[in-house]
Amino acid sequence: MSEVQTINIIEHADGELRVSSLIIAGRTDTQHASVLRVIRDNLGDFEAFGLVGFEIAPRMPGQHGGGDTTYALLNEQQATLLVTFMRNSDVVRAFKVELVKQFYAMRQALAAPAVPTSFAEALALAANQARALEIAQPKADAWDDLVSASGSYAVADAAKMLCQVGIKTGRDRLFAYLHSIGWIYRRRDNWHALQSAVDAGRLNHKPQYHDHPDSGKHVIDAPQVRVTIKGLNELRILMLPAIVTPQAVTT
């Protein structure tokens, strides 16, 4: 029986803390294929907490079977849900505790600002802040220009606007983020705005239709989710990284 090792198992990518299904399988003495089967068989439950990201990585040299391996990257809620599906052995219980500890520690580390411990570090931090503000100001001015109009934007266009102010996103990644913060939901492979997001003025719907190729009649399609100016401003605040990331100073 293996023991849970207290090394960092959480990664910070695309603004979210995630853990690999490969790590979960290894730390719970479970076949990775079985872990993936649980995720895929209950995908709807997992995606209630955001889209599940599946990745492909080269299989380790000499590993049985050869070829590439598919794994899932799970956020904190998805990882917690996954371990609830597992039999509560000593190894699984120990891993649950370690998983909670590491997600908490990573959140604390990301939230805690670095405090200067010397006059030299304080000067360096002030210089970093000044440089960051010089860089951020043109982006802020550009954002004001972008959202000075009225109306709403398709999610793909909203993603492009957010990219112009330094937020790394795209159409699919923005859909996934909107889902993770509870603004949209998926039904029959189409995204829909939650009524609460519409009522709050963050999103709206644009009716869509197409002409039937045989009858020529209008066929109603799923409405298009669109982001309002208010929604864009809120997304910018939620997604924009901190202006200053203090770095250690070596003397």
Side-chain angles (χ1 to χ4, degrees):
M1 184 179 296
S2 64
E3 295 182 355
V4 175
Q5 302 173 15
T6 55
I7 63 174
N8 184 31
I9 61 174
I10 310 299
E11 64 177 84
H12 183 230
D14 299 329
E16 186 174 36
L17 297 177
R18 298 183 294 183
V19 61
S20 165
S21 58
L22 289 166
I23 290 176
I24 295 176
R27 299 303 181 83
T28 57
D29 288 345
T30 307
Q31 291 291 326
H32 185 242
S34 299
V35 172
L36 281 183
R37 188 179 306 115
V38 170
I39 295 171
R40 286 173 169 150
D41 288 350
N42 301 277
L43 192 59
D45 294 330
F46 284 93
E47 292 200 332
F49 302 103
L51 291 180
V52 175
F54 289 97
E55 305 284 342
I56 298 177
R59 196 180 296 271
M60 295 296 291
Q63 188 170 345
H64 179 71
D68 298 334
T69 183
T70 299
Y71 64 97
L73 286 175
L74 306 176
N75 61 30
E76 183 173 4
Q77 294 89 347
Q78 292 164 343
T80 302
L81 177 62
L82 176 58
V83 294
T84 65
F85 285 108
M86 295 181 174
R87 183 173 298 173
N88 213 22
S89 65
D90 291 341
V91 170
V92 171
R93 282 198 300 272
F95 179 72
K96 288 178 181 178
V97 173
E98 185 63 24
L99 190 69
V100 172
K101 286 181 178 178
Q102 292 215 21
F103 268 115
Y104 177 78
M106 285 289 286
R107 286 197 307 272
Q108 293 295 103
L110 290 171
V115 178
T117 58
S118 68
F119 181 66
E121 288 186 6
L123 287 177
L125 178 58
N128 285 342
Q129 289 175 332
R131 286 195 297 270
L133 288 172
E134 289 177 1
I135 294 170
Q137 188 57 47
K139 291 182 178 181
D141 293 341
W143 180 259
D144 291 340
D145 292 338
L146 284 171
V147 299
S148 60
S150 59
S152 60
Y153 302 88
V155 172
D157 293 328
K160 292 176 183 176
M161 295 172 71
L162 291 167
C163 282
Q164 292 187 43
V165 292
I167 298 171
K168 295 181 180 179
T169 189
R171 175 185 176 275
D172 292 342
R173 288 168 65 181
L174 185 53
F175 268 123
Y177 184 77
L178 293 173
H179 184 243
S180 72
I181 61 175
W183 288 18
I184 62 175
Y185 67 97
R186 185 185 286 262
R187 184 177 66 195
R188 297 178 182 174
D189 296 326
N190 293 303
W191 290 112
H192 299 265
L194 267 75
Q195 190 59 44
S196 58
V198 174
D199 292 342
R202 301 182 180 112
L203 302 176
N204 60 35
H205 280 136
K206 177 182 178 181
Q208 296 188 115
Y209 65 88
H210 69 275
D211 292 332
H212 192 280
D214 296 327
S215 66
K217 294 182 178 179
H218 288 334
V219 178
I220 303 295
D221 296 323
Q224 180 190 59
V225 174
R226 297 179 68 84
V227 185
T228 66
I229 299 300
K230 179 181 179 181
L232 274 170
N233 276 312
E234 291 190 19
L235 288 172
R236 175 176 175 257
I237 295 170
L238 290 169
M239 300 175 71
L240 191 64
I243 291 178
V244 178
T245 304
Q247 298 180 355
V249 177
T250 58
T251 57

